[in-house]
Amino acid sequence: MHVTAIIAAGGRGRRLGAAVPKQALLLGGRPMLQWSVEAFLACGRVNEIVVVVPPEWLASPPEYLRRGGLRLVAGGERRQDSVANGFDAASVASDVILIHDAARPLVDEGLIGRVIDAAAEGGAAIVAAAARDTIKWAPAKGDEVPRVIERTLSRDAIYLAQTPQAFRRDVLREAVALGRAGVEATDEAALAEQAGHPVRVVEGGARNMKVTTGEDLVIAEALLRAEADGDRRDRTASRAGALAEAGGARAGDAGLRIGSGYDLHRLVEGRPLILGGVHVPCERGLAGHSDADVVCHAITDAVLGAAAAGDIGQHFPDTDERWRGASSIELLKQAMALVHDAGYRLVNVDATIVAERPKLGPHRPAIVASLAAALGVAPAAVSVKAKTNEGVDAVGCGAAIAVHAVALLQRSK
Ligand code: MG
């Protein structure tokens, strides 16, 4: 049996304040999409993986998508357009095609196998969770607020659709054709249902959760941590249990986290000198792939470090043409969005610039204001100090400028 998996990550959906698409947000130090990709790569029953990504990713995909066995295609306007593009790229020899949403990073091999078997047998199958809460029917009526319950539904028959969803190729072809003909649907199963195909239910657990909010991210992180600790009780913990654990960790440590950052760039002729987003007049400037703003780089590493969210090289690699000549103050803003998404706010930053020349005192207020704006804090929360190295070593000889920075974060949620 030839099985193809389509991982849908073509959306540009950003939550409020996030500077990166959801699928690139970090979970346990890895982008969300990478978790799904690795789950399918690890599944011996999947022969081919098509990853649908935002079109702008194709020219220079992240490292974890540059592997054998992965085919990348551009996403479309709506989710169903992205899946249709994935279907076109899937081998015509596919017997079963799986569709998985990158917002469910904790899918596992067992679940993938069960939904493949169910689809191979019945034509179509989806992973779904049995409703555990009591289901109320409270339709919107004009602008009436608050809503009023009309009735209570029997939850016995209610299932909440998840992914992966699996289809025999002929069934998915019909579903995709309906979508292309203009039928709107929030999942492929709905299109298959409309085409008259029975769709089986494979029960999925709470672990296959959808990560779409900052709170979901905290719960998913807590689940992963519990598993890494090898605690079997926590392995089967409910969402509530995981949330309680995350909450306990917050209360215990007052939610404060510190991070340090360091960077150094060489001074060369023919480059402008940019420090903290401010152009400082100087006969030489700093060499680098981006604008080489050594102050922003050190502070970016400090804030990412405090959130344990990787480092500047991981998020904005200098091997990536997207970041050539990039404004580092913009990268700092993006790093702050990651920090906010991880559930932290910045308390303060303190940076020390080590440079023989030029004299930085006159530029300090502008640098502080620029950094404060990028960090989204008051100037009083930003300290920038300048030192020389007394003529000692490369920095002291004026061959380079170095910056040390620390940042303090506090949990915001
Ligand atoms: Mg640097």
Side-chain angles (χ1 to χ4, degrees):
M1 183 163 57
H2 189 282
V3 177
T4 299
I6 298 172
I7 302 177
R12 293 192 184 83
R14 291 149 201 257
R15 274 175 294 115
L16 215 58
V20 295
K22 274 183 291 202
Q23 59 272 36
L25 285 178
L26 294 183
L27 170 64
R30 284 193 283 173
M32 285 235 289
L33 172 56
Q34 188 176 352
W35 286 92
S36 293
V37 166
E38 286 181 359
F40 282 90
L41 279 172
C43 181
R45 301 186 56 190
V46 174
N47 306 91
E48 171 186 55
I49 301 174
V50 176
V51 188
V52 187
V53 296
E56 61 272 19
W57 286 26
L58 286 182
S60 179
E63 197 61 41
Y64 64 88
L65 293 179
R66 298 181 198 176
R67 307 193 200 177
L70 296 182
R71 194 181 309 170
L72 305 187
V73 302
E77 200 52 41
R78 300 163 302 172
R79 181 181 185 282
Q80 68 194 68
D81 301 323
S82 291
V83 169
N85 292 354
F87 175 79
D88 290 342
S91 165
V92 290
S94 310
D95 298 297
V96 168
I97 300 180
L98 292 149
I99 293 157
H100 183 65
D101 188 344
R104 294 189 188 275
L106 301 184
V107 63
D108 61 57
E109 202 176 333
L111 205 51
I112 296 170
R114 282 194 286 138
V115 76
I116 291 172
D117 288 338
E121 212 177 279
I126 70 167
V127 176
R132 290 182 302 185
D133 298 320
T134 300
I135 309 290
K136 304 293 185 185
W137 179 257
K141 289 193 175 156
D143 294 331
E144 187 187 319
V145 179
R147 290 193 184 204
V148 172
I149 293 164
E150 275 189 10
R151 59 201 161 99
T152 299
L153 304 179
S154 165
R155 75 175 166 204
D156 293 354
I158 305 284
Y159 281 85
L160 309 176
Q162 301 184 345
T163 68
Q165 306 197 342
F167 307 88
R168 274 202 328 254
R169 188 174 180 278
D170 55 309
V171 173
L172 185 59
R173 190 178 55 209
E174 277 186 53
V176 165
L178 269 185
R180 283 190 163 135
V183 178
E184 297 264 350
T186 51
D187 71 355
E188 284 57 51
L191 294 169
E193 292 156 37
Q194 287 198 43
H197 295 286
V199 179
R200 296 187 182 190
V201 168
V202 171
E203 282 218 27
R207 190 182 189 273
N208 190 36
M209 61 184 289
K210 193 166 190 175
V211 180
T212 53
T213 67
E215 187 187 55
D216 296 335
L217 206 53
V218 170
I219 294 167
E221 293 268 8
L223 278 169
L224 288 173
R225 216 167 34 237
E227 290 175 8
D229 290 347
D231 185 328
R232 288 188 60 78
R233 261 181 319 148
D234 284 349
R235 186 178 281 269
T236 54
S238 65
R239 283 170 63 103
L243 183 59
E245 194 217 344
R250 250 179 281 163
D253 61 10
L256 291 171
R257 298 179 62 117
I258 194 164
S260 83
Y262 167 78
D263 199 21
L264 177 148
H265 280 256
R266 285 181 301 111
L267 277 163
V268 293
E269 306 282 343
R271 293 262 304 180
L273 177 61
I274 312 288
L275 296 175
V278 174
H279 181 226
V280 175
C282 185
E283 65 278 11
R284 291 183 300 161
L286 295 171
H289 181 72
S290 64
D291 63 5
D293 186 335
V294 65
V295 178
C296 284
H297 293 182
I299 294 177
T300 299
D301 265 358
V303 295
L304 290 174
D311 63 25
I312 190 168
Q314 184 183 338
H315 293 287
F316 315 108
D318 63 7
T319 51
D320 190 328
E321 279 306 307
R322 266 182 304 171
W323 313 122
R324 180 176 293 284
S327 158
S328 300
I329 199 93
E330 291 303 318
L331 304 187
L332 177 58
K333 285 182 197 167
Q334 293 193 35
M336 280 309 297
L338 287 169
V339 165
H340 289 147
D341 268 321
Y344 296 102
R345 70 173 192 91
L346 180 65
V347 178
N348 74 304
V349 158
D350 181 25
T352 301
I353 305 173
V354 191
E356 293 303 298
R357 274 181 306 130
K359 280 274 166 256
L360 294 174
H363 305 287
R364 196 149 59 173
I367 293 172
V368 167
S370 160
L371 289 170
L375 292 164
V377 295
V382 179
S383 159
V384 173
K385 313 189 298 299
K387 289 268 174 221
T388 71
N389 241 10
E390 299 274 325
V392 177
D393 80 15
V395 172
C397 294
I401 291 179
V403 174
H404 300 265
V406 289
L408 187 67
L409 302 183
Q410 184 166 36
R411 269 215 176 270
S412 56
K413 2 186 179 173

